């Protein structure tokens, strides 16, 4: 009963790019009781509730399960409750706080915790599993016993618009790219909790035939494949990849970045190298490459004893994501004082990266000799990591 949003290009304000659009997945269960699982984003609230009325009749809904209160999932609650103010809302204790904080209403909240269940008739029940910080404190999963179906909300989701609905119908490369991007940019800081929650759910030994997240397609063919991927991504993930990110004022730092990339490739042909200008490349795509990399090189010229704003901005994002088990080094041009490398090195260490080498620094515009040294630096860096 959700909404496919083909037009969406930015999410979380302008913090997350959605090149492939997205969806806000809401689910309607019709057994002896009729249950609504989550709603949709606020701009589509009236459309959503009108569709509910046409499909099932609002008077026939018995209760709502709100797995997570962020407004892309709860945004239609005010419109729904305006028309059905008596509807019970099942959520966690933190869910009550969050929903009240968003909408300032004292609706009929029914607080649930892990292991609680509700009989919905015909031999089926809903079982609730708290999943705090996947990715908000209020998040929970809802398991439909009797159908082996898990409503996982944001977990195992991805921003991907498709009318095809199911994972076995869509382009697998596109699907994988959106899944790892979603994990890298949103769930990385909570990897320890992701691993713990996966172990807890597996220990329940519940049959699982479908995973239905709140963004993107539904996992029905080998649904545990995405659980396996999450377990891998939560384990300080890295591939044989090195990412170089930089910004440049007069192309000197760019030339150094490209020379280093050539050096890495020649020294380690099997290592994939990605080079991004932080001022021109989508930041979420850069972060995804950083997540997939075993090491990164970060470059900026020195400006006002610091670094360029595009690099400072993405370093702030990287710091918050708390990547682990990754190495790094820094580089850049300077003309006056050259503090940029020291600033970058400090930011990388604060972000959890191990510095694998002294930084590479070039005075003024790099000449042929300097670019040869940058090439050799790239060769040496590839051998160290």
């Amino acid at each position: 009963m959700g909404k496919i949003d083909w037009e969406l290009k930015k999410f979380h304000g302008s913090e997350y790019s959605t090149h492939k659009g997205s969806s806000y997945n809401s689910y309607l269960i019709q057994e002896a009781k009729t249950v609504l699982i989550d709603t949709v984003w606020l701009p589509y609230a009236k459309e959503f509730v009108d569709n509910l009325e046409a499909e099932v009749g609002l008077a026939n809904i018995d209760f709502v399960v709100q797995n997570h209160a962020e407004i892309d999932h709860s945004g239609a609650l005010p419109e729904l409750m305006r028309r059905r103010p008596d509807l019970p809302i099942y959520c966690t204790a933190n869910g009550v706080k969050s929903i009240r904080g968003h909408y300032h209403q004292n609706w009929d909240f029914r607080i649930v915790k892990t292991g609680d269940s509700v009989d919905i008739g015909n031999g089926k029940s809903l079982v609730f599993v708290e999943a705090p910080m996947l990715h908000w404190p209020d998040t929970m999963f809802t398991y439909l016993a009797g159908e082996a179906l898990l409503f996982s909300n944001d977990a195992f989701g991805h921003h991907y618009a498709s009318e095809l609905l199911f994972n076995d119908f869509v382009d697998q490369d596109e699907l994988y790219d959106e899944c790892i991007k979603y994990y890298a940019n949103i769930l990385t800081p909570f990897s320890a909790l992701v691993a713990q929650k996966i172990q807890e759910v597996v220990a329940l030994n519940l049959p699982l035939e479908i995973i239905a997240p709140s963004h993107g397609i539904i996992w029905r063919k080998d649904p545990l494949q995405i659980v396996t991927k999450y377990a891998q991504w939560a384990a300080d993930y890295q591939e044989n990849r090195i990412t170089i990110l930089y910004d440049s004022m007069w192309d000197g730092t760019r030339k150094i970045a490209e020379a280093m990339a050539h050096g890495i490739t020649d020294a380690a042909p099997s290592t994939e190298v990605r080079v991004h200008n932080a001022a021109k490349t989508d930041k979420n795509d850069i972060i995804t490459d950083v997540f997939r990399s075993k090491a990164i090189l970060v470059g900026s010229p020195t400006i006002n004893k610091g670094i360029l704003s595009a690099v400072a901005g993405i370093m702030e994002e990287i710091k918050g994501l708390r990547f682990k088990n990754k190495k790094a080094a820094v580089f850049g041009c300077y003309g006056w004082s050259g503090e940029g490398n020291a600033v970058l090195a400090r930011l990388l260490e604060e972000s959890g990266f191990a510095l694998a080498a002294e930084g590479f620094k070039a005075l003024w515009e790099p000449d042929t000799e300097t670019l040869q040294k940058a090439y050799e630096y790239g060769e040496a860096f590839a051998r160290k990591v």
Side-chain angles (χ1 to χ4, degrees):
M1 296 302 301
K3 174 68 178 180
I4 299 173
D5 192 345
W6 294 96
E7 295 184 353
L8 189 73
K9 296 303 174 190
K10 293 287 185 179
F11 202 59
H12 287 164
S14 294
E15 285 301 296
Y16 189 96
S17 59
T18 50
H19 306 313
K20 302 292 183 181
S22 191
S23 65
Y24 321 109
N25 300 340
S26 174
Y27 302 95
L28 191 67
I29 302 171
Q30 293 178 282
E31 298 294 344
K33 292 185 182 297
T34 298
V35 183
L36 181 67
I37 307 288
D38 295 320
T39 70
V40 299
W41 192 22
L42 181 61
Y44 304 104
K46 186 177 185 305
E47 175 184 337
F48 171 79
V49 177
D50 287 345
N51 287 341
L52 271 178
E53 178 66 81
E55 179 68 25
V56 70
L58 300 184
N60 295 315
I61 299 175
D62 291 287
F63 61 90
V64 178
V65 173
Q66 195 64 57
N67 282 322
H68 171 36
E70 202 170 3
I71 61 171
D72 52 324
H73 309 299
S74 70
L77 273 181
E79 178 66 16
L80 176 61
M81 300 305 287
R82 183 181 68 81
R83 303 194 209 180
R84 274 292 311 275
D86 60 316
L87 270 177
I89 301 172
Y90 286 73
C91 60
T92 64
N94 279 326
V96 174
K97 295 177 184 177
S98 188
I99 293 170
R100 282 178 175 160
H102 278 101
Y103 307 115
H104 312 290
Q105 298 292 324
N106 192 27
W107 292 317
D108 181 9
F109 296 108
R110 310 288 176 90
I111 296 174
V112 296
K113 58 186 184 301
T114 296
D116 289 347
S117 64
V118 177
D119 190 331
I120 59 172
N122 300 329
K124 298 173 185 177
S125 62
L126 299 177
V127 182
F128 305 108
V129 180
E130 294 170 275
M133 301 317 299
L134 271 70
H135 65 119
W136 273 25
D138 68 294
T139 301
M140 69 176 183
F141 302 157
T142 299
Y143 179 77
L144 178 53
E147 293 287 351
L149 196 160
L150 182 69
F151 299 102
S152 61
N153 199 262
D154 279 328
F156 313 124
H158 39 277
H159 289 295
Y160 187 39
S162 175
E163 291 282 354
L164 298 176
L165 292 182
F166 299 106
N167 68 306
D168 47 316
F169 286 167
V170 301
D171 184 294
Q172 298 301 292
D173 290 333
E174 283 190 344
L175 175 58
Y176 174 80
D177 286 346
E178 294 305 321
C179 287
I180 195 169
K181 176 180 176 179
Y182 190 90
Y183 190 98
N185 283 271
I186 295 175
L187 288 169
T188 296
F190 315 117
S191 286
L193 294 171
V194 170
Q196 177 184 330
K197 186 54 58 177
I198 288 174
Q199 292 172 0
E200 289 177 8
V201 172
V202 170
L204 295 174
N205 201 29
L206 298 170
L208 189 58
E209 295 182 7
I210 292 177
I211 297 175
S214 287
H215 294 298
I217 53 78
I218 296 166
W219 301 92
R220 69 171 182 180
K221 182 178 181 181
D222 183 20
L224 288 176
Q225 66 178 283
I226 188 60
V227 179
T228 300
K229 284 296 183 185
Y230 265 52
Q232 293 173 356
W233 296 337
D236 299 342
Y237 184 74
Q238 60 174 237
E239 300 171 14
N240 187 18
R241 179 180 299 209
I242 295 173
T243 293
I244 302 174
L245 64 101
Y246 71 94
D247 193 8
S248 192
M249 291 182 72
W250 299 110
D251 276 351
T253 304
R254 174 188 63 79
K255 292 175 183 176
I256 292 172
E258 292 175 356
M260 288 180 174
H262 291 314
I264 293 168
T265 299
D266 286 348
S270 63
T271 299
E272 184 172 0
V273 182
R274 295 294 181 96
V275 182
H276 297 294
N277 184 322
K280 298 179 180 180
T281 306
D282 182 279
K283 65 179 181 179
N284 304 114
D285 294 338
I286 296 175
I287 286 169
T288 304
D289 270 337
V290 172
F291 175 75
R292 297 176 70 170
S293 294
K294 61 183 179 181
I296 65 173
L297 286 157
V298 185
S300 172
T302 298
I303 179 171
N304 298 329
K305 298 185 178 181
I307 58 177
L308 291 176
S309 60
V311 178
I314 198 159
M315 283 306 305
E316 180 67 18
E317 298 257 0
I318 289 171
K319 180 179 179 181
L321 290 167
R322 302 195 295 276
F323 293 116
K324 293 181 173 61
N325 194 32
K326 298 185 188 297
K327 297 178 180 179
V330 301
F331 64 95
C333 293
Y334 71 103
W336 303 345
S337 51
E339 294 90 349
N341 273 15
V343 172
L344 285 173
R346 174 178 54 79
L347 289 172
L348 282 164
E349 288 184 314
E350 290 175 353
S351 302
F353 290 79
L355 294 178
E358 290 291 325
F360 184 91
K361 189 184 290 189
L363 179 61
W364 303 113
E365 180 73 10
D367 57 15
T368 301
E369 181 182 353
T370 302
L371 292 177
Q372 177 61 29
K373 290 179 179 178
Y375 170 88
E376 293 167 359
Y377 186 96
E379 287 184 310
F381 186 77
R383 296 187 186 104
K384 284 182 180 180
V385 301

